[in-house]
Amino acid sequence: MPIALLALAIAAFGIGTTEFVMMGLLPEVATDLQVSIPDAGGYISLYALGVVIGAPLLTMLGMRFKRKTMLLSMLVLFTVGNLCSATAPTHELLLGARFLAGLPHGVFFGIGAVVAASLVATDKRAQAISMMFIGLTVANIVGVPVGTLLGQALGWRWAFGLVAVIGVIALAAVAALVPDQPKPTDVSVRGELRAFRRPQVWLAFAVVVFGFAATFSFYSYIKPVLTDVTGYTPTAVTLLLALFGVGMTVGTAVGGRLADRAPMKTLYVFLGALAACLALFVVTSHSAALAPITVFLIGATGFAAIPSIQARILDQAREAPALGSASIQSTFNIANSLGAYLGGVVIAAGLGLTAPSWVGALLAVVGLGFALVSGRLDRRTQQSEVLVSHRAAQPTESIEVG
């Protein structure tokens, strides 16, 4: 694999760290800035809002620039956003800084996926994309725990200062290692949006919204489940969250290899496996021995389908690969919010802390349903193309008159 993928992975590591480290530092930030925990939750939601808005908007604004230029610009914005987060003196300014830090998230991953795919042969695109996303999953193993411990020991601002340093390192790595990309030609907003007329593009978004809301429904409430139901200490839960990150990393790597061979089958298998693992966790969450195994499997199955869906959107949105890929990142954050919301609804309804896993299992099944519809539409399209080609190949009969 090209060394340029390492530069993209370093940037993904930094982005993943800043996205999730706030969850572990929320009490410290709330206490320091003298706000309630619900108000401090805005630091998470404003980041997500930045991703949702920034992904399509900045991608369209930068569609005439070279892709490497866009990657570097997004890393500059990312670094500035985290520096502002580290130095924000008030609650309101930190909200703004988190929104700013979220703006380049989807754009970087969207354009980064296009660049990663362009660096390798067609039959290794999904594997190359997965190499970039491994940086995001490793952030949950190393970056988030280290950032959380640093923030708890020295103050939460140090965690975001560390992320800003990672941003500078990533900026230097991308500048040095990623080759120049050709400047897009004949691009326009209307042309970019034309790709979104295809049903397959919207089916891909639907798979993400429901299929990956399944994982976030589980992950959003994993801490209270492991402490109150399984019986682990808060310290042990930190290790189990790292185990979840290991599962994410393994799943992304394996999913990338399998997606190059059979992308739709990979999507079917892992969405089905995710639904099964989430349903299983309702039972295994009561066992200190079995719960960690299931946590690992949910992380692996939940993220193994990401390379397939990224490669698929590149195929289905050929006229606008960067916009389509960036929009997927917006969709992931919608899935995050949907999963967390629905999980909270069933807990509030008195169905218990394990109820979000049932919700996740049902959401994964819905996502699998959309994937099956998409695959069936693929087969019908292929059959129609074969029929048209067959008819075109038939010799025309001439009729003689006389």
Side-chain angles (χ1 to χ4, degrees):
M1 285 289 166
I3 194 172
L5 296 176
L6 175 61
L8 297 177
I10 292 171
F13 176 81
I15 293 172
T17 300
T18 200
E19 180 179 16
F20 295 110
V21 76
M22 180 61 82
M23 297 174 185
L25 294 174
L26 213 58
E28 287 79 6
V29 180
T31 300
D32 185 50
L33 296 181
Q34 300 180 346
V35 297
S36 66
I37 291 293
D39 285 341
Y43 307 140
I44 297 172
S45 58
L46 261 291
Y47 182 93
L49 182 62
V51 179
V52 173
I53 293 176
L57 180 61
L58 294 181
T59 300
M60 286 191 290
L61 289 175
M63 63 187 176
R64 295 185 184 275
F65 294 96
K66 290 183 177 181
R67 287 169 182 159
K68 183 175 179 178
T69 301
M70 283 297 294
L71 290 177
L72 294 172
S73 300
M74 292 304 102
L75 286 174
V76 169
L77 185 59
F78 167 81
T79 303
V80 170
N82 280 283
L83 280 175
C84 291
S85 297
T87 57
T90 66
H91 168 66
E92 291 76 16
L93 288 176
L94 182 56
L95 287 174
R98 288 291 288 170
F99 177 78
L100 181 65
L103 286 174
H105 178 127
V107 189
F108 184 89
F109 279 118
I111 296 177
V114 177
V115 171
S118 71
L119 296 174
V120 297
T122 304
D123 61 346
K124 292 187 176 181
R125 289 188 312 163
Q127 190 177 343
I129 293 171
S130 73
M131 292 298 294
M132 178 183 69
F133 277 98
I134 280 177
L136 177 64
T137 62
V138 171
N140 286 274
I141 304 172
V142 180
V144 173
V146 169
T148 300
L149 291 174
L150 180 66
Q152 291 171 345
L154 301 179
W156 63 270
R157 298 181 187 277
W158 285 88
F160 293 101
L162 174 63
V163 174
V165 171
I166 297 172
V168 173
I169 296 172
L171 184 66
V174 170
L177 300 178
V178 174
D180 285 328
Q181 300 286 307
K183 188 175 181 180
T185 57
D186 299 327
V187 292
S188 65
V189 173
R190 180 177 296 180
E192 293 281 302
L193 295 177
R194 192 176 298 124
F196 291 84
R197 296 178 182 176
R198 292 197 184 100
Q200 289 286 33
V201 172
W202 292 101
L203 284 171
F205 290 156
V207 171
V208 171
V209 168
F210 292 97
F212 294 100
T215 302
F216 292 121
S217 175
F218 157 84
Y219 188 66
S220 298
Y221 303 97
I222 186 174
K223 284 187 177 180
V225 173
L226 292 174
T227 54
D228 298 354
V229 177
T230 314
Y232 281 105
T233 64
T235 302
V237 170
T238 301
L239 296 176
L240 289 176
L241 292 179
L243 182 62
F244 180 79
V246 173
M248 292 165 57
T249 303
V250 172
T252 302
V254 172
R257 290 183 177 274
L258 295 178
D260 281 322
R261 302 174 187 173
M264 292 308 295
K265 288 183 180 179
T266 300
L267 203 56
Y268 302 153
V269 168
F270 283 111
L271 283 173
L274 175 61
C277 290
L278 285 167
L280 182 64
F281 185 71
V282 177
V283 177
T284 60
S285 61
H286 297 275
S287 168
L290 297 178
I293 298 173
T294 317
V295 167
F296 171 85
L297 291 174
I298 292 173
T301 55
F303 280 76
I306 288 180
S308 293
I309 203 69
Q310 284 285 163
R312 183 156 184 77
I313 202 66
L314 292 180
D315 286 334
Q316 298 301 327
R318 290 181 295 275
E319 301 94 333
L323 180 58
S325 189
S327 297
I328 281 288
Q329 299 305 313
S330 294
T331 312
F332 274 121
N333 278 267
I334 293 172
N336 189 340
S337 300
L338 176 65
Y341 171 74
L342 293 177
V345 167
V346 293
I347 291 175
L351 299 179
L353 290 173
T354 60
S357 293
W358 279 121
V359 171
L362 292 174
L363 288 170
V365 170
V366 174
L368 176 58
F370 279 112
L372 290 169
V373 170
S374 182
R376 184 177 180 182
L377 186 58
D378 271 352
R379 290 191 294 274
R380 289 178 59 183
T381 302
Q382 290 170 1
Q383 290 170 356
S384 299
E385 290 175 350
V386 169
L387 182 59
V388 170
S389 299
H390 178 72
R391 288 177 176 173
Q394 294 295 318
T396 55
E397 297 181 1
S398 59
I399 302 176
E400 296 183 3
V401 180

